[in-house]
């Protein structure tokens, strides 16, 4: 592939090559086997690479070049759809390409799926482009993802957008870039994105999204546009893959025994923790158990507490497991440097512990990280979200996104300070020819520096063999910077990769890389804030209570307006055994119940616990 940039073919040779590739595609299309699938993927990658190379030099669409210049035979509809989707992505990525040619086939779809009042033309799209840049586009996508009516239909969402005569600020308070855009053009842009998502959905079956990033040029190109894919499409694709890999119902749940007294006796290896007790009893069969269709995946028994698991102990055990993960009780994670120094962002985030770069991680730690991935997969399947706090770099690696220096600085604000200062000093003194003068200017910074690094967990590791004895000088400084950055960007790679392996044994990886890092975090951890109105909609009243009872109304006012987010989480843990709510109404497999208390004179009210089911 590296030599492809230097390939120069005349039109006749290109015509022959494209015909050959298309014939191979048509030949493999009707054949279903791993080998033909790989062959078809390779054919499509090569075709895409050649078309993109030609397309970059001409202001025409891929389809125009393919058919008009090379006069190729008619292709299957899904290939047309794929080419159209690529043309749209080209335009989304490069805002300077105001192409109208690609819109004809794209807009034909709107006449079949849209209400007459919301059909759009190419002129509509070109005009709407004047109001939208990349940031405004992403805010509109975010609005479409967050608005509940998008779960009903595009028509309902478009109709709900406020008219010019209405007050904008309240509706667009979280989307300020849309505030001054006329309603008509927001509708046009939203329709445009909805149609784009329809094309992507139609082409999904043509591509193999189980390939890891870097294994397919075309699949990676589609992933570039994942910020423009609606969550409704992503979750629809994900749910389809989950149903295909569902293990079925387990007739007898495994009993997991928890010794809470033992859990309070801390040891350096975390052997007594609730996490490790669950790990020891579940991890060997987790890849099966966590794909079961049962609402609960194990029966939690709290020793010496005489609890009967009707859902409450099960949920509480998950909350306790999460509490152990993000704590010093386990050797798997440590509080990030910003948290330890009380400086910078993300001070409450926990990062994977750091292990010697050139030594293997123990088999037990590897399996424990994989078990955390199993729990993440369970959270996605069961909508039982995990109360864990990890930095964005962990979620980015799980979905195959590149980790950047900014991500590292997000957990360690001091990580690149010295390197940046030295680079600036050397750049400012490039005009000095005398080596001794350069050495003198840099001595104050470099005098104590060696080819080693202090890891995010505090240990010192060599960047090269014998690095602790090699001083950093102006001459070897570029090599030091390269190795230092390489270490920082890959410091957590192995533990996160083990987590990804565990996650992918529960959740098929094929469509997971279409999620952004933030979307995956929300799919596993739920929303950061407790939606009290959502909880209220899913509450049942029994006995003498109803929603109009004065003390019930006071209860909701106190919970919604007077409780902090931490207090709301603690309330949920107390009454429900979980610290997060489902994202949607339909995900409430059990309702929140407020009922008249029944007790006998042998029990004091203040000593009674909630009946969590």
């Amino acid at each position: 592939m590296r030599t492809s940039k230097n390939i120069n073919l005349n039109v006749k040779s290109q015509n022959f090559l494209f015909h050959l590739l298309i014939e191979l595609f048509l030949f493999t299309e009707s054949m279903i086997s791993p080998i033909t699938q790989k062959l078809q993927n390779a054919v499509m990658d090569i075709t895409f690479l050649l078309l993109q190379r030609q397309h970059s030099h001409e202001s025409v669409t891929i389809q125009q070049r393919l058919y008009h210049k090379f006069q190729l035979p008619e292709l299957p509809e899904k290939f047309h759809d794929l080419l159209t989707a690529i043309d749209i992505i080209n335009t989304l990525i490069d805002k300077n390409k105001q192409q109208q040619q690609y819109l004809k086939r794209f807009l034909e779809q709107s006449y079949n799926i849209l209400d007459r009042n919301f059909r759009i033309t190419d002129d509509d799209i070109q005009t709407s482009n004047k109001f939208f840049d990349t940031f405004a586009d992403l805010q509109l996508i975010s609005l479409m993802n967050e608005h509940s009516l998008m779960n009903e239909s595009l028509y309902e969402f478009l109709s709900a957008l406020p008219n010019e005569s209405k007050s904008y600020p309240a509706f667009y308070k979280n989307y300020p870039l849309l505030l001054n855009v006329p309603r008509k053009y927001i509708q046009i842009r939203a329709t445009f994105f909805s149609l784009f998502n329809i094309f992507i959905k139609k082409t999904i079956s043509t591509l193999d999204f189980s390939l890891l990033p870097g294994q397919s040029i075309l699949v990676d190109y589609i992933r570039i546009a994942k910020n423009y894919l609606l969550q409704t499409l992503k979750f629809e694709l994900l749910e389809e893959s989950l149903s295909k890999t569902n293990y079925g119902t387990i007739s007898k749940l495994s009993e997991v025994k928890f010794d809470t007294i033992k859990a309070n006796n801390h040891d350096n290896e975390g052997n007594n923790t609730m996490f490790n007790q669950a790990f020891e009893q579940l991890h060997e069969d987790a890849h099966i158990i966590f794909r079961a269709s049962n609402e609960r995946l194990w029966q939690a028994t709290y020793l010496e507490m005489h609890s009967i698991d009707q859902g409450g102990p099960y949920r509480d055990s998950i909350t306790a497991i999460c509490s152990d993960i993000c704590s010093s009780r386990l050797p798997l994670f440590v509080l990030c440097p910003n948290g330890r120094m009380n400086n910078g962002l993300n001070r409450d985030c926990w990062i994977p512990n750091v292990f010697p770069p050139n030594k293997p991680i123990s088999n037990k730690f590897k399996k424990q990280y994989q078990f955390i991935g199993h729990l993440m997969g369970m959270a996605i399947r069961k909508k039982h979200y995990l109360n864990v706090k990890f930095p964005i770099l962990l979620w980015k690696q799980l979905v195959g996104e590149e980790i950047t220096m900014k991500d590292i600085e997000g957990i360690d604000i001091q990580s690149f300070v010295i390197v940046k200062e030295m680079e600036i000093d050397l750049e400012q003194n490039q005009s000095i020819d005398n080596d001794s003068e350069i050495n003198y200017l840099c001595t104050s910074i470099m005098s104590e520096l060696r080819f080693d690094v202090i890891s995010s967990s505090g240990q010192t590791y060599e960047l090269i063999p014998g690095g602790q004895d090699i001083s950093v000088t102006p001459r070897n400084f570029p090599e030091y910077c390269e190795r230092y950055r390489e270490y920082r960007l890959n410091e957590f790679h192995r533990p996160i990769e083990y987590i990804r392996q565990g996650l992918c044994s529960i959740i098929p990886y094929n469509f997971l890389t279409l999620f952004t890092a933030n979307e995956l975090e929300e799919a596993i951890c739920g929303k950061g804030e407790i939606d009290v109105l959502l909880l209220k909609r899913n509450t049942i009243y029994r006995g003498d209570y109803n929603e109009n009872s004065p003390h019930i109304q006071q209860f909701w006012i106190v919970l919604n307006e007077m409780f902090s987010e931490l207090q709301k989480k603690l309330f949920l843990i107390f009454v429900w055994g979980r610290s997060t709510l489902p994202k949607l109404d339909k995900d409430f497999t059990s309702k929140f119940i407020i009922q008249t208390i029944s007790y006998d004179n042998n029990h004091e009210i203040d000593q009674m616990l909630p009946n969590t089911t």
Side-chain angles (χ1 to χ4, degrees):
M1 291 299 180
R2 288 195 297 270
T3 61
S4 62
K5 294 182 180 179
N6 301 320
I7 295 176
N8 292 305
L9 301 173
N10 58 34
V11 174
K12 184 176 181 180
S13 298
Q14 291 180 59
N15 187 292
F16 172 79
L17 179 57
F18 279 123
H19 273 83
L20 177 62
L21 291 170
I22 298 306
E23 289 298 328
L24 279 172
F25 177 85
L26 294 173
F27 174 73
T28 59
E29 185 187 17
S30 59
M31 303 173 66
I32 302 175
S33 74
I35 296 178
T36 55
Q37 176 73 46
K38 290 181 179 179
L39 177 59
Q40 192 175 55
N41 288 334
V43 166
M44 295 175 70
D45 272 345
I46 297 171
T47 304
F48 169 72
L49 188 64
L50 292 172
L51 286 172
Q52 281 290 83
R53 181 179 180 276
Q54 296 295 331
H55 178 57
S56 64
H57 301 296
E58 301 182 9
S59 58
V60 296
T61 69
I62 282 181
Q63 294 197 69
Q64 285 179 314
R65 181 163 186 82
L66 188 61
Y67 291 106
H68 295 170
K69 187 166 185 177
F70 299 111
Q71 300 178 353
L72 295 178
E74 190 66 20
L75 293 172
E77 182 178 357
K78 64 180 181 180
F79 202 96
H80 283 288
D81 292 336
L82 179 60
L83 295 177
T84 302
I86 293 171
D87 279 326
I88 299 168
I89 293 174
N90 285 335
T91 305
L92 289 171
I93 293 173
D94 187 352
K95 295 295 182 180
N96 295 321
K97 291 183 179 179
Q98 302 297 331
Q99 300 171 339
Q100 291 183 323
Q101 297 95 327
Y102 75 89
L103 291 172
K104 181 177 179 182
R105 177 176 175 79
F106 177 63
L107 293 176
E108 285 176 356
Q109 303 294 318
S110 67
Y111 295 100
N112 300 323
I113 64 175
L114 297 177
D115 182 273
R116 182 181 301 274
N117 295 326
F118 294 109
R119 291 176 182 171
I120 57 176
T121 66
D122 54 354
D123 289 336
D124 288 333
I125 295 179
Q126 296 299 332
T127 305
S128 72
N129 286 341
K130 300 175 182 178
F131 295 93
F132 287 88
D133 57 13
T134 299
F135 300 104
D137 276 345
L138 295 182
Q139 284 198 7
L140 176 55
I141 292 291
S142 179
L143 172 61
M144 297 172 72
N145 285 332
E146 295 293 331
H147 203 289
S148 59
L149 288 179
M150 277 298 294
N151 294 317
E152 303 296 329
S153 70
L154 174 64
Y155 173 80
E156 296 290 340
F157 169 76
L158 297 178
S159 301
L161 294 174
N163 294 316
E164 280 75 12
S165 60
K166 295 184 178 180
S167 174
Y168 275 167
F171 190 86
Y172 293 119
K173 64 180 181 179
N174 295 324
Y175 318 98
L177 296 179
L178 305 181
L179 191 59
N180 297 316
V181 180
R183 178 181 191 247
K184 173 183 178 182
Y185 296 111
I186 295 178
Q187 291 177 323
I188 290 170
R189 202 69 175 174
T191 303
F192 171 75
F193 288 138
S194 294
L195 292 173
F196 170 61
N197 276 257
I198 290 173
F199 268 93
I200 293 296
K201 181 180 178 181
K202 293 171 67 175
T203 61
I204 285 294
S205 61
T206 310
L207 305 172
D208 183 5
F209 280 90
S210 66
L211 296 172
L212 295 173
Q215 293 184 333
S216 169
I217 299 171
L218 182 52
V219 170
D220 284 348
Y221 197 74
I222 300 296
R223 287 172 178 150
I224 290 176
K226 65 181 178 181
N227 284 323
Y228 295 95
L229 301 185
L230 296 171
Q231 288 185 12
T232 50
L233 172 61
K234 295 178 182 180
F235 279 102
E236 180 183 344
L237 296 171
L238 180 61
E239 290 297 330
E240 289 178 2
S241 64
L242 293 182
S243 63
K244 293 178 181 178
T245 55
N246 195 311
Y247 181 73
T249 303
I250 296 177
S251 57
K252 183 175 176 56
L253 295 178
S254 299
E255 181 184 15
V256 179
K257 298 179 180 180
F258 293 99
D259 188 335
T260 56
I261 297 176
K262 179 181 177 182
N264 289 323
N265 297 323
H266 299 163
D267 64 296
N268 293 334
E269 295 298 320
N271 293 322
N272 297 331
T273 59
M274 295 283 283
F275 170 87
N276 195 64
Q277 291 183 51
F279 165 75
E280 293 289 353
Q281 298 175 72
L282 288 170
H283 80 276
E284 289 187 359
D285 297 319
H287 63 289
I288 295 175
I289 296 173
F290 288 12
R291 289 188 292 113
S293 58
N294 304 60
E295 181 179 343
R296 287 179 287 143
L297 300 179
W298 65 80
Q299 180 180 330
T301 299
Y302 282 16
L303 301 178
E304 306 301 331
M305 293 186 66
H306 310 291
S307 64
I308 300 175
D309 190 358
Q310 298 297 328
Y314 169 74
R315 291 190 295 269
D316 184 74
S317 68
I318 297 174
T319 300
I321 289 168
C322 292
S323 179
D324 284 336
I325 292 173
C326 291
S327 77
S328 58
R329 294 188 293 273
L330 284 173
L332 300 178
F333 291 87
V334 295
L335 190 63
C336 71
N338 284 353
R340 299 198 301 271
M341 299 300 294
N342 197 27
N343 189 23
L345 303 174
N346 305 309
R347 301 180 197 184
D348 58 345
C349 282
W350 292 75
I351 55 176
N353 207 344
V354 181
F355 300 89
N358 299 321
K359 294 182 180 179
I361 297 175
S362 73
N363 198 44
K364 180 179 179 180
F365 284 163
K366 180 197 300 187
K367 290 182 177 180
Q368 286 181 326
Y369 282 121
Q370 290 173 339
F371 186 64
I372 291 173
H374 294 150
L375 292 168
M376 289 180 174
M378 177 202 70
I380 294 175
R381 281 185 177 271
K382 299 302 173 185
K383 309 295 190 297
H384 191 124
Y385 304 118
L386 307 183
N387 185 23
V388 292
K389 187 65 176 177
F390 298 137
I392 193 67
L393 62 87
L394 182 143
W395 306 108
K396 289 179 75 170
Q397 184 172 325
L398 291 181
V399 296
E401 293 182 17
E402 183 179 355
I403 295 174
T404 66
M405 289 173 55
K406 183 178 179 181
D407 298 325
I408 303 301
E409 291 173 326
I411 60 164
D412 185 359
I413 195 172
Q414 298 293 326
S415 55
F416 294 104
V417 169
I418 295 179
V419 169
K420 288 180 179 179
E421 286 180 356
M422 289 194 297
E423 286 178 327
I424 292 173
D425 282 352
L426 287 174
E427 184 177 350
Q428 290 175 344
N429 293 285
Q430 280 182 342
S431 59
I432 300 177
D433 296 328
N434 190 305
D435 288 350
S436 62
E437 291 187 46
I438 295 176
N439 287 329
Y440 175 76
L441 288 169
C442 298
T443 296
S444 60
I445 300 178
M446 295 185 179
S447 59
E448 301 297 328
L449 212 57
R450 300 290 185 270
F451 267 73
D452 54 23
V453 59
I454 299 177
S455 73
S456 295
S457 58
Q459 303 96 339
T460 299
Y461 297 121
E462 292 182 331
L463 294 174
I464 58 176
Q468 64 181 359
D469 299 320
I470 301 175
S471 299
V472 177
T473 68
R475 297 303 178 194
N476 63 22
F477 176 66
E479 180 187 0
Y480 169 79
C481 289
E482 180 181 355
R483 293 184 180 277
Y484 181 88
R485 288 193 172 96
E486 182 182 5
Y487 172 83
R488 285 293 186 197
L489 294 173
N490 294 281
E491 187 174 22
F492 315 107
H493 178 80
R494 288 185 295 168
I496 299 177
E497 173 58 22
Y498 295 141
I499 294 173
R500 191 193 69 83
Q501 291 172 5
L503 173 61
C504 294
S505 70
I506 310 299
I507 305 293
Y509 194 62
N510 49 355
F511 298 128
L512 210 57
T513 53
L514 291 179
F515 283 72
T516 65
N518 289 324
E519 287 171 339
L520 178 63
E521 180 182 14
E522 186 173 310
I524 291 172
C525 302
K527 292 188 176 182
E529 297 181 354
I530 302 297
D531 188 344
V532 175
L533 296 181
L534 175 65
L535 179 63
K536 187 177 181 179
R537 288 199 306 270
N538 290 278
T539 298
I540 297 174
Y541 304 95
R542 291 177 178 170
D544 299 330
Y545 297 152
N546 62 67
E547 61 182 344
N548 297 318
S549 300
H551 47 290
I552 293 298
Q553 294 181 343
Q554 292 173 1
F555 164 78
W556 289 117
I557 291 173
V558 170
L559 184 62
N560 191 36
E561 301 177 10
M562 300 179 68
F563 272 31
S564 66
E565 283 301 316
L566 176 58
Q567 289 172 324
K568 292 173 185 176
K569 286 181 178 291
L570 292 174
F571 168 77
L572 282 183
I573 292 173
F574 179 68
V575 301
W576 210 4
R578 58 188 292 175
S579 60
T580 54
L581 289 175
K583 183 178 180 180
L584 303 173
D585 294 278
K586 66 179 183 179
D587 295 331
F588 276 78
T589 55
S590 59
K591 301 292 185 179
F592 178 46
I593 300 173
I594 300 179
Q595 61 186 359
T596 305
I597 191 170
S598 59
Y599 66 98
D600 54 49
N601 294 329
N602 295 324
H603 296 85
E604 294 183 19
I605 294 178
D606 291 342
Q607 294 180 349
M608 299 184 68
L609 296 175
N611 179 17
T612 55
T613 58

